[in-house]
Amino acid sequence: MTEAILEARGLTKIYTIGEHREHILSDISLQIAAGEFVVVSGSSGSGKTTLLSLLSGLDRPTSGRIILAGRDITELSEDQLAPVRNVDTGFVFQAFHLIPSLNALENVMFPAELRHDRAAAAKAENLLRRVGLWERRTSFPPQLSGGEKQRVAICRALINDPKIVFADEPTGNLDSENSRGIVELLAGLHRERGTTLVLATHSPEIAARAERIIVLHDGRLAEGTEGN
Ligand SMILES: Nc1ncnc2c1ncn2[C@@H]1O[C@H](COP(=O)(O)OP(=O)(O)OP(=O)(O)O)[C@@H](O)[C@H]1O
Ligand SMILES: [Mg+2]
């Protein structure tokens, strides 16, 4: 296999509620190659969102290590993690997390403006055109449908041209036509730019396009799915 862009070693996530310690993820080890297209599947509550949050550096494991592009991100401070989150990775949340006071175009531009990219507006306009939202660019999140918000969130994750895109149920709120558009957009990035894709999804259509499917079952890798 080509060099791993992402590696997890013995990842464990435990939430303590009162006296009770809940194991959400237990001893997850896996490697994802640069340019790979991986789907994480598993039933509701199996730990997909938690795993993506840890792998992308949005959340920290209770124990274990994550090596992203050759760096152990579990050792980084919040300040050191900020550029990893903004530039190296793009994240599409299950619940979008758009900024309500910014319109669609401004939401998409935001991560590029943080790094003073002069082409932020042009790139954002281009992305919104590609997902069919050009006409909604001045709408604010509360005025957008669920599927429109999802497409804005995807554009925002892509604007800094990240090496890895993590997406949590990226087509969960979309009808079949819009789902296809999003899958084509993501698969096109993978094909043309070698972007590594890590998508959590229940969608059989997306899983069919992936090169590998990692199955979670009660916070553990299901037998035989961790192979590299
Ligand atoms: N902050 C938290 N505190 C306590 N338990 C949590 C917390 N976040 C998630 N959990 C629990 O961790 C488990 C895994 O949740 P997670 O969101 O990762 O599942 P999922 O596979 O993404 O599910 P879905 O398909 O419904 O999105 C669930 O049992 C959930 O209740
Ligand atoms: Mg989830």
Side-chain angles (χ1 to χ4, degrees):
M1 137 169 176
T2 48
E3 192 155 329
I5 192 167
L6 183 61
E7 182 176 355
R9 296 186 196 150
L11 277 193
T12 297
K13 182 74 177 178
I14 299 172
Y15 285 113
T16 307
I17 301 160
E19 296 281 283
H20 183 66
R21 282 160 55 85
E22 180 97 27
H23 275 73
I24 305 300
L25 292 177
S26 305
D27 194 25
I28 304 262
S29 295
L30 53 84
Q31 292 197 345
I32 293 174
E36 204 177 3
F37 179 172
V38 174
V39 154
V40 179
S41 81
S43 54
S44 180
S46 60
K48 302 181 297 295
T49 296
T50 308
L51 179 62
L52 256 57
S53 306
L54 296 182
L55 292 178
S56 60
L58 291 179
D59 192 8
R60 291 184 188 270
T62 307
S63 61
R65 307 232 151 257
I66 296 144
I67 321 292
L68 180 76
R71 276 206 299 181
D72 185 343
I73 62 168
T74 45
E75 306 216 307
L76 301 182
S77 66
E78 286 297 304
D79 280 353
Q80 290 170 319
L81 267 176
V84 173
R85 291 178 183 146
N86 191 45
V87 182
D88 295 336
T89 66
F91 202 103
V92 183
F93 297 90
Q94 203 164 11
F96 322 128
H97 295 195
L98 297 176
I99 301 169
S101 58
L102 300 182
N103 70 28
L105 183 69
E106 292 160 345
N107 264 284
V108 176
M109 286 168 65
F110 189 68
E113 291 197 306
L114 281 180
R115 53 195 296 231
H116 310 291
D117 181 348
R118 292 218 187 131
K123 286 180 184 170
E125 287 172 5
N126 189 30
L127 282 164
L128 285 172
R129 256 194 215 99
R130 284 184 71 173
V131 300
L133 282 183
W134 174 245
E135 315 228 303
R136 307 307 309 264
R137 67 193 179 282
T138 56
S139 298
F140 289 84
Q143 304 162 335
L144 297 169
S145 74
E148 289 167 344
K149 283 191 271 232
Q150 192 145 35
R151 283 180 277 162
V152 172
I154 288 169
C155 291
R156 181 183 58 180
L158 299 181
I159 192 156
N160 284 338
D161 201 10
K163 295 196 255 316
I164 308 189
V165 172
F166 295 93
D168 198 359
E169 289 290 357
T171 61
N173 293 275
L174 302 181
D175 57 43
S176 57
E177 190 188 328
N178 279 309
S179 291
R180 243 188 326 273
I182 293 304
V183 175
E184 289 312 324
L185 177 68
L186 292 172
L189 286 175
H190 166 68
R191 206 172 44 237
E192 288 152 26
R193 300 194 196 179
T195 306
T196 307
L197 299 181
V198 185
L199 312 184
T201 184
H202 293 285
S203 156
E205 287 84 17
I206 298 186
R209 304 286 292 267
E211 292 161 341
R212 182 154 59 110
I213 301 175
I214 291 171
V215 181
L216 282 177
H217 183 67
D218 284 345
R220 292 181 181 274
L221 290 180
E223 198 73 15
T225 63
E226 74 273 32
N228 301 308

